[in-house]
Amino acid sequence: MKNPPRFFSRLRAQRLKDLDHATDYRSWREIALELDRLEGADAWKADDTSDDYDYLLIKERLLSLRRLRCAGDARQLAFELYEGLHGNLGNMSNPALYAVARVGTKKLIEDYIAEVARCLDFLCAGNFPDFGLEDKIQFFKRTATAFGRSALMLSGGGTLGLFHLGVIKALHAENLLPRVLSGSSAGSIIAACVGVRLDHEIDTLFAPDGLNLDAFRALGLREALRDGAMMDGAQLERCLDDNIGGYSFVEAFDRTKRIVCITVSPAEPHQQGRLLNYLTAPHVLLRRAVLASCAVPGVFPPVMLQARNYAGEIVPYMPGKRWIDGTLSADLPMLRLARLHNVNHYIVSQTNPHVVPFMAQIDREQGQRRGLAPLAAELVKQGGSGALRLARKHLDPYGGGRVLGRIDNIVRQRYSGDINIYPRHTPKRLLRIFSNPQPQDIQRYVRSGERATWPKIERIRNQTRISRTFEDCLRLLKAEEQQLMRAQRRADAARSHIQRRPAGLIPS
């Protein structure tokens, strides 16, 4: 009787080792699925019931949508989707539902999400006499706006930000890379590099020589005292020019349709941090925005932004103002992304060295905000922030008060999202946070980012599938609308040409 448990234990230990040495996501997933079977997680996934979500509501909605789709009732199906579609219906996005199995969650949740996507595809592709193209476009626009969409947010972290490359690689390989990308400081470099590249060009980023990362050149003592910075900003700008080019925000958007958002903080008082993108600063040069977002005080000098004027010339943008590190005002600008781009689901790649050590605890507390420990942590945070604000009132606003203000901003920020991806905390890497990485270092960072993303892939796939289906359907419907408009213009032109012909030349 002792052999089976011993055999199971040895098999599980071997599979855990295999999991640690998997070379790609497909291999990792197959091993993880086998572990789910060995550990009983498969049985948990097949069982609809759980106290962590309203499984009766999800089952009822699933059966209702499936019945309407099979009946071919397009208008009633559209009505049901518009009235009841929600990203966290019945608490089905609860993190606890993704903490049991290594791959996926309750089969009922996955079946419901798949049915919603199937219904949307059915409405998009079907030919219905009472639900034409105009009705479809109106339905998809309104319902997609109500449902929201996801964004990938890349934090600061100096050279540690190369971890983001691995996150990008893993998501891109599974066609899960969101269109909305935000970046601050080091994260802004990666966001911009992705934002100017087409889908088939992104893979070049992951090669050892895919990016010019010769960004850091220490200044001599005299230059450092003159500029108030240890590193050469011109060297960083040359590096960014090689990687990003001369695109403005709107030019990058027109090329790739990716929405790149870069945070910058003011170097002077009486200014607020800004989120730069193709809506708020369309003609600002992307590389200068990234340069400003990377300008860590004392490391790189403050930056004046540049933009293209109406004649296409590069000119100063707000020439009297200078900008610095975006993490000081908004490492993760969630509220502004929500207002500008209808984002309500945040995938965060977090590499800030002062945050990463606490990310595992933040993940454990997600979905379990009750209890004395979370309450105590929140009280300490609020108390510390209040003390900082009180101290600012009694200090010189242009001296110590400004320093405390920046510390207060850092303390009060939120550094986690709905899904968090972060590296293992390695103090050794902190020593090289402002140094140029070697090719072997880049590969280690990319591999680290990939491996940290793999356990989150199925959760990301599930929680973004509906919004991705909305985007795909709207793209197809708009293309169909444009095709019809072109055909209509050709028909109108032909009729106009016939009407202008002399009467004697018109065939009887």
Side-chain angles (χ1 to χ4, degrees):
M1 293 296 293
K2 294 182 179 180
N3 287 335
R6 191 177 301 144
F7 172 76
F8 167 81
S9 179
R10 286 200 301 267
L11 180 60
R12 181 176 179 274
Q14 181 59 49
R15 289 295 176 264
L16 287 172
K17 289 181 181 178
D18 294 340
L19 197 69
D20 285 339
H21 293 93
T23 57
D24 55 54
Y25 177 64
R26 180 174 295 181
S27 302
W28 184 95
R29 188 176 187 275
E30 288 177 358
I31 299 166
L33 284 171
E34 184 177 356
L35 281 166
D36 281 348
R37 289 191 293 271
L38 290 171
E39 297 169 344
D42 269 9
W44 176 85
K45 288 190 280 189
D47 180 8
D48 296 343
T49 63
S50 172
D51 292 335
D52 292 320
Y53 77 119
D54 190 342
Y55 60 91
L56 293 176
L57 173 63
I58 302 299
K59 184 178 292 186
E60 178 187 352
R61 288 285 297 169
L62 169 61
L63 295 175
S64 175
L65 294 176
R66 184 177 290 161
R67 183 178 64 253
L68 289 170
R69 178 178 57 81
C70 292
D73 192 342
R75 280 204 168 276
Q76 182 65 31
L77 178 59
F79 180 87
E80 289 291 325
L81 288 168
Y82 186 52
E83 287 294 316
L85 198 57
H86 190 276
N88 194 23
L89 181 70
N91 203 29
M92 67 179 186
S93 295
N94 186 346
L97 293 167
Y98 289 88
V100 177
R102 285 181 168 81
V103 179
T105 183
K106 294 286 188 180
K107 186 175 183 299
L108 175 62
I109 293 175
E110 294 178 346
D111 287 347
Y112 169 75
I113 292 170
E115 182 59 39
V116 171
R118 196 174 295 119
C119 288
L120 293 174
D121 287 336
F122 170 74
L123 290 175
C124 175
N127 186 14
F128 310 105
D130 60 342
F131 195 65
L133 180 60
E134 186 176 342
D135 295 322
K136 290 181 182 183
I137 292 175
Q138 183 183 74
F139 161 77
F140 275 95
K141 282 183 176 179
R142 289 181 176 179
T143 315
T145 300
F147 186 82
R149 60 175 164 179
S150 302
L152 175 62
M153 312 187 78
L154 309 178
S155 77
T159 304
L160 302 178
L162 288 171
F163 172 88
H164 300 319
L165 274 178
V167 177
I168 297 286
K169 183 178 180 181
L171 294 178
H172 177 60
E174 293 296 313
N175 295 315
L176 296 176
L177 188 61
R179 284 183 60 222
V180 181
L181 304 169
S182 87
S184 59
S185 198
S188 70
I189 300 176
I190 307 302
C193 288
V194 174
V196 300
R197 284 167 171 79
L198 301 171
D199 282 347
H200 70 274
E201 298 171 333
I202 289 179
D203 285 335
T204 61
L205 293 174
F206 313 124
D209 57 350
L211 288 173
N212 174 3
L213 295 173
D214 189 19
F216 299 102
R217 188 184 76 82
L219 295 173
L221 179 60
R222 181 177 299 177
E223 294 171 302
L225 291 174
R226 181 194 65 203
D227 297 340
M230 297 185 300
M231 297 291 175
D232 183 4
Q235 176 67 24
L236 176 58
E237 185 167 14
R238 284 190 291 270
C239 171
L240 297 177
D241 191 30
D242 283 349
N243 295 323
I244 300 169
Y247 294 100
S248 66
F249 278 97
V250 73
E251 288 169 344
F253 174 77
D254 288 341
R255 183 171 195 264
T256 69
K257 295 299 182 276
R258 301 187 207 282
I259 301 171
V260 180
C261 304
I262 305 298
T263 58
V264 294
S265 304
E268 303 97 355
H270 311 306
Q271 291 288 325
Q272 300 296 320
R274 295 190 61 181
L275 183 69
L276 307 174
N277 55 41
Y278 85 102
L279 293 177
T280 62
H283 305 296
V284 167
L285 296 185
L286 198 50
R287 68 167 185 259
R288 291 293 292 190
V290 173
L291 184 65
S293 191
C294 292
V296 179
V299 179
F300 287 107
V303 174
M304 178 186 68
L305 298 176
Q306 293 177 339
R308 280 200 176 83
N309 62 15
Y310 187 74
E313 303 164 332
I314 296 177
V315 296
Y317 179 83
M318 300 179 68
K321 301 300 176 186
R322 298 294 183 273
W323 305 90
I324 55 175
D325 188 358
T327 60
L328 298 179
S329 59
D331 190 50
L332 307 176
M334 296 181 184
L335 182 58
R336 280 176 279 183
L337 284 184
R339 288 173 177 170
L340 286 168
H341 303 297
N342 198 38
V343 173
N344 58 3
H345 182 256
Y346 304 94
I347 305 165
V348 171
S349 179
Q350 180 58 259
T351 60
N352 269 306
H354 64 287
V355 178
V356 168
F358 307 102
M359 288 304 296
Q361 177 64 25
I362 290 171
D363 265 358
R364 283 194 294 269
E365 290 179 2
Q366 276 192 341
Q368 305 175 31
R369 297 304 297 171
R370 297 176 183 176
L372 292 177
L375 175 62
E378 187 64 23
L379 288 174
V380 169
K381 178 180 177 181
Q382 294 297 329
S385 182
L388 286 168
R389 288 195 296 271
L390 181 63
R392 287 170 62 187
K393 291 182 179 179
H394 299 280
L395 290 174
D396 175 14
Y398 300 102
R402 286 186 61 202
V403 174
L404 285 181
R406 288 176 179 171
I407 297 174
D408 187 27
N409 285 338
I410 293 172
V411 169
R412 286 189 292 141
Q413 287 186 46
R414 177 181 169 185
Y415 291 98
S416 63
D418 298 287
I419 299 175
N420 302 304
I421 306 169
Y422 46 90
R424 294 176 180 176
H425 183 51
T426 52
K428 182 179 177 181
R429 290 182 177 178
L430 294 180
L431 301 176
R432 305 185 63 186
I433 193 170
F434 294 118
S435 62
N436 296 316
Q438 300 301 312
Q440 62 271 22
D441 298 326
I442 299 169
Q443 292 307 295
R444 279 197 293 268
Y445 280 115
V446 171
R447 174 58 65 180
S448 173
E450 280 186 284
R451 295 195 61 82
T453 307
W454 290 344
K456 309 294 177 79
I457 285 287
E458 297 308 317
R459 183 177 173 190
I460 292 170
R461 194 190 311 278
N462 284 337
Q463 295 184 0
T464 64
R465 182 170 179 180
I466 294 174
S467 61
R468 287 185 288 112
T469 304
F470 270 120
E471 289 188 352
D472 292 342
C473 289
L474 276 169
R475 184 164 53 249
L476 291 171
L477 291 171
K478 288 178 180 178
E480 183 180 348
E481 182 183 42
Q482 290 172 358
Q483 186 177 0
L484 287 175
M485 290 174 64
R486 286 194 294 268
Q488 184 63 47
R489 284 196 294 268
R490 286 195 297 268
D492 290 344
R495 282 195 297 269
S496 175
H497 178 68
I498 291 172
Q499 291 171 359
R500 288 197 301 268
R501 292 172 65 179
L505 297 180
I506 299 177
S508 58

